[in-house]
Amino acid sequence: MKRGTVIALFFVLVIVAIISLEVQFSSYDYIGFSPNYASDHIPAGEGVVHAQLANALGAYKGPYVIIYVTGQQWHWDFYPHNMVYTNITYVPVGEPVLFVIHSVDVFHEFFIQAATSNFTIPLNDGAEAVPGYYSYMVFVFPQPGLYHVACAEYCGTAATGLGHSWLVGTIVATTNASYVMQQTGGVMPQGTWDPYVNETG
Ligand SMILES: [Cu+2]
């Protein structure tokens, strides 16, 4: 083979590799958080917040804002009310929010992430998303902004990409109650939580 041909083939290889990487990483644009997506869905002025506080509410039984979370390969669906959002949901600030979590396929873990910069107030808190089973956790979001969600239970690799790593999302916490209601299609679902009654969610 001529030297020129070898060099040409090498560059073809490099270009194919770059394109395939680009395809893989650009999937984040619709599967998870992206600035463009966020600008259409998130009120101005609400920047990224790293969750800082896990709330142990003890005997408190509600009322809660209830958000149903379904994990699957590979996205989170949120059922805040009568509307379904994929990889994004809206919650009020300063009120207990109850996440009712399950999976429709394999094990996942719904995980709200803290940043290392907040390591002095650690919160890396999640709950298993298990098929046929509901787990739950309660948060009071301490300030408005964007909270990052990930999957913390390895749940497989896609045939054409990363799989597990795509299972990320954003929680928008806002003090604008009417905005939350607008986004969720009405009055936020509220009530006490009884896992033996509400399982049909
Ligand atoms: Cu996973």
Side-chain angles (χ1 to χ4, degrees):
M1 203 182 293
K2 287 183 178 173
R3 183 175 174 177
T5 311
V6 171
I7 291 172
L9 283 174
F10 174 77
F11 279 108
V12 167
L13 191 69
V14 168
I15 288 165
V16 167
I18 289 170
I19 289 172
S20 61
L21 270 178
E22 167 61 23
V23 166
Q24 181 154 316
F25 283 100
S26 66
S27 340
Y28 283 114
D29 292 348
Y30 60 89
I31 290 175
F33 178 83
S34 86
N36 290 337
Y37 183 67
S39 66
D40 294 337
H41 293 77
I42 292 164
E46 303 212 329
V48 173
V49 172
H50 300 288
Q52 295 180 17
L53 191 63
N55 299 93
L57 294 180
Y60 179 77
K61 291 288 187 283
Y64 302 112
V65 169
I66 298 178
I67 306 284
Y68 288 88
V69 183
T70 298
Q72 65 177 284
Q73 291 167 320
W74 281 278
H75 56 270
W76 300 108
D77 283 330
F78 295 97
Y79 302 80
H81 191 41
N82 55 357
M83 297 169 70
V84 180
Y85 281 88
T86 297
N87 292 333
I88 192 164
T89 194
Y90 302 85
V91 297
V93 168
E95 291 181 47
V97 177
L98 169 65
F99 292 95
V100 181
I101 301 151
H102 78 142
S103 168
V104 295
D105 45 37
V106 302
F107 277 53
H108 304 282
E109 184 176 351
F110 178 73
F111 201 92
I112 302 175
Q113 293 184 305
T116 50
S117 59
N118 290 326
F119 194 67
T120 52
I121 315 172
L123 172 71
N124 280 299
D125 222 0
E128 285 291 309
V130 180
Y133 175 86
Y134 289 82
S135 50
Y136 62 98
M137 56 182 192
V138 176
F139 282 96
V140 175
F141 289 86
Q143 64 184 92
L146 312 183
Y147 295 77
H148 187 239
V149 169
C151 176
E153 177 78 50
Y154 178 69
C155 56
T157 303
T160 55
L162 296 170
H164 168 64
S165 308
W166 290 333
L167 193 40
V168 293
T170 302
I171 296 169
V172 181
T174 178
T175 53
N176 187 338
S178 60
Y179 180 79
V180 174
M181 285 199 271
Q182 175 195 327
Q183 294 300 320
T184 55
V187 177
M188 291 297 286
Q190 298 215 343
T192 55
W193 167 245
D194 180 344
Y196 302 104
V197 173
N198 290 341
E199 279 189 351
T200 54

